[in-house]
Amino acid sequence: MASGNNGVEIEAADDNDFTAGRGLGGRQYRPVFAHDNDRAVLEMSSIDPSVRASSSASLNNSNDLKKVNVASDGEDGSAPNHEGANGSHSESKLELFGFDSLVNILGLKSMTGDQLQAPPSPRDGDDATIHVERPKANNVKSGTMMGVFVPCLQNILGIIYYIRFSWIVGMAGIGQSLLLVAFCGSCTFLTTISLSAIATNGAMKGGGPYYLIGRALGPEVGVSIGLCFFLGNAIAGALYVLGAVETFLNAIPAAGIFRDTSTFMMVNGTNATQPVTVTSPNLHDLQIYGVVVTIILCFIVFGGVKIINRVAPAFLVPVVFSLFCIFIGIFLARKDDPADGITGLSLDSFRDNWGSAYNTTNNAGVPDPNGKIYWDFNALVGLFFPAVTGIMAGSNRSASLKDTQRSIPIGTLAATVSTSALYLITVLFFGALATREKLLTDRLLTATVAWPIPAITYLGIILSTLGAALQSLTGAPRLLAAIANDDILPVLNYFKVADGSEPHAATLFTAFICIGCVIIGNLDLITPTITMFYLLCYGGVNLSCFLLDLLDAPSWRPRWKFHHWSLSLLGAFICIVIMFLISWLFTVISLALATLIYYYVSLKGKAGDWGDGFKSAYFQLALRSLRSLGASQVHPKNWYPIPLIFCRPWGKLPENVPCHPKLADFANCMKKKGRGMSIFVSIFDGDYHECAEDAKAACRALSTYIEYKRCEGVAEIVVAPSMSDGFRGIVQTMGLGNLKPNIVVMRYPEIWRRENLTEIPATFVGIINDCIVANKAVVIVKGLDEWPNEYQRQYGTIDLYWIVRDGGLMLLLSQLLLTKESFESCKIQVFCIAEEDSDAEELKADVKKFLYDLRMHAEVIVVSMKSWDPHAEQQQEESLEAFNAAQERIGAYLGEMKERAHKEGAPLMADGKQVVVNEQQVEKFLYTTLKLNSTILRYSRMAAVVLVSLPPPPVNHPAYFYMEYMDLLVENVPRLLIVRGYRRDVVTLFT
């Protein structure tokens, strides 16, 4: 029923009313916001209104009514009433799928950007009222004109156009000036194309280019470039403030508090006979006025977007008017006295100024043969390029825009095209307006020709620089706040802000940086680095678009269609070229700073998965690599162990421990220099539908364990009716192509007799038989509790009892152990078990030659024995004790089997199947394992680790017998690896 205009109250009927349409349990969908309310990452999770996911015991007792109140803002109007005319709630549902109307309110609105707080899960048996409210957002949102176009225009139109552009035309000439503007403008134009494509590929949060780069190239790259871009914006604000103050003091020298300093120099190449005096304001005047202006601008920024939007036109309108007056003055200019150098629009001047006139100048930019500064095209690129920066001013305020996908492309492109056209037209007019000497000596030619008075140009210069400073001080704090809100670097937590709030702490920090740079006064050494930061950001945007467009993932669907990966690649290349043209030294410095931030974020930052382009690239690379591997067998030279780690097969660990702590240590020992992949698998006994949520939680815990142990691998949890069924499914289906696991690693079930776990023998034998059928190698670890971690060094030997051919797996494992610091001080010994009537010396020579060809260093020892002769030599006392105990237990078990078969009149049965027991063969197996155990204890009692071949389970023998054989084999050996290869070689003699 409706509950007023502020929300919708939906009453769910009794469970019986949902029988027809609850194929999915009558689920209500709510948004779960990952990564600190990152709306770009949404997961639709279900809530059963009558069942709590964490409790299955109350399924039959939760028939109470559930009430859900969905609150919405008054601005949106009341939520629609989903009840039918007859008041029946079920008519508003899609009965076939079991969805109700809440999917529209809670799910779809969250996906379109209306961030909602996730409702808590109601307790079983209680009436639950869920209030879902949107956080209060700032109602002030900007459109395309005031939100993007005006900020970009104010940042691009700066002091360089007024006081340096005519000088650039005089130095480079009209032809190369046009090339210069086209070259620098093409960089920003191509970057704008890339920015438009990424910005229209989904909703944007605050942070502008940082948000785009981070989501495309990953958090490390995004934060490193974002912090550099923030620093560039903050210091650029100081540059703009100093430019405005210096122009003001030049226009009104009497406003100076301290005495002015003047520099005198001769003008060369002209007919002037009088020296030219260039007056520069006092440094202390710049500092005092600069700090005052910065504080005033910060107060405006503190007023928020609403105040900024009101003040911005006051800065922009006089600038546009000054441009209008300059062009009027150019058209009205007439040919005056030749000493003045103003020729009006003249074809002669145009021809004279077409070529370049590169030469040396003094510090004031006046041509001087004794000057120390030589200007060429590369140097002019560094001087002019800051005049085209500022295209990110609109995207920096993305959190304050009504429609980022519409405003950012249109506003940024309009600002870029209009300013580039203005520069190109101005080059032509300036080249035809005055002589080259006038262009090179009159730094304020724009003021000289302005109509009706030069003061208009001074006003335009001051207001344009102040407007650029205002936009820098507006965008930089929002950029820093966006980085802090992503919670990647804990040190930035002080600058976090709620959605829709003003970043006051970030604004204060930005103002502090800006004031500090203003106090320094001379930023000539820092200016190139700022330009590098801008270019670094532009290059990051281009590379992001290039990567996303080249990969063309299903999620890449930008509304802006005028883009191509080749354009983005060209834009990134131009950015790199401009960086090195300006200064290779400052390029290296800026890249080094970004690299340091990158590594700091990698070490100290919190992990975050933003679905960046690199993950998509890894995915496609993995698919291509998998296809190239094919389904044929991998050559032994390219063979890598891919162990399947069986986590909890025997017994139980504490609830908060998902895996034996030493299993990951052993898995790392099977990799050379950490290269390789491990698959950690655990099996849940039960029904899949009942245990699915518990399995997901266990998988997350297991993944955390793997990451903590620094083991390259993945976690998988399988729910099956029994461990045997689950494992049988795993060995058949786990992996793809040649990336299927080839070694099954599990712990030896030492507890089975102590805990009287009678089901373990059949399960253990079944797993080994499944591995044999599936052609998987097997490594069973005995003594896992004593396995060394990465900090425990081992000394002694690694002993191999090489009994059967295993394709070289045992030899390869021993070599992999030597590559680890724990075992690098050990030596390998290979024990070959031979029959007594064989030629031991010949066998030893053959094995030595084989190991030599394999490039393996090991000592070879041949041990001769007869497995069926118990009296051939003296056995170890503890081995005999274990042998006698095993013999007694097997006799008792066999007696019980015979007695039961006699009573039932049936053949011998064990483990649910018929068995054939050859008592002589059982005795032979016992004597063989006795001999092996005794030999191991005699030669390898002090070995760091022992490797021995795994005997296959005898056909038609009870699993209990095989466990007795194995227990006798491993008795009193503290650390043992039981290895069985598979039907292929893993080592090769050939290069």
Side-chain angles (χ1 to χ4, degrees), residues 231-246 286 290-291 293-294 297 465-466 468-470 472-473 510-523 526-527 530 534:
L231 190 61
N233 274 278
I235 301 177
L239 286 176
Y240 295 138
V241 169
L242 287 175
V245 172
E246 183 175 356
L286 291 175
V291 170
V293 171
T294 304
L297 293 177
T465 50
L466 288 180
L470 177 65
S472 295
L473 294 176
T510 305
F512 176 78
I513 295 177
C514 188
I515 290 174
C517 295
V518 167
I519 292 175
I520 294 175
N522 186 1
L523 299 179
I526 305 177
T527 304
I530 298 173
Y534 279 102

Side-chain angles (χ1 to χ4, degrees), residues 373-447:
I373 304 175
Y374 179 77
W375 293 92
D376 55 11
F377 186 82
N378 295 353
L380 291 182
V381 170
L383 175 64
F384 175 72
F385 188 79
V388 297
T389 59
I391 60 174
M392 299 296 178
S395 60
N396 285 343
R397 302 165 58 176
S398 56
S400 304
L401 298 176
K402 295 178 182 177
D403 186 358
T404 57
Q405 298 189 45
R406 180 180 184 276
S407 297
I408 290 179
I410 296 176
T412 308
L413 272 175
T416 303
V417 172
S418 59
T419 52
S420 297
L422 175 66
Y423 288 139
L424 291 173
I425 294 173
T426 305
V427 168
L428 300 176
F429 283 164
F430 279 172
L433 177 67
T435 62
R436 191 180 299 273
E437 289 77 14
K438 186 66 174 178
L439 293 174
L440 292 174
T441 56
D442 192 350
R443 299 182 63 180
L444 285 171
L445 182 63
T446 53

Side-chain angles (χ1 to χ4, degrees), residues 36 210 482-490 493 496 605-607:
D36 291 337
Y210 152 74
I483 299 174
N485 283 345
D486 280 333
D487 201 22
I488 299 297
L489 282 180
N493 288 342
K496 285 184 177 181
K606 297 181 181 179

Side-chain angles (χ1 to χ4, degrees), residues 722-738:
S722 66
M723 185 182 297
S724 298
D725 294 338
F727 185 83
R728 192 166 293 123
I730 288 172
V731 295
Q732 293 182 78
T733 60
M734 189 68 69
L736 293 172
N738 277 319

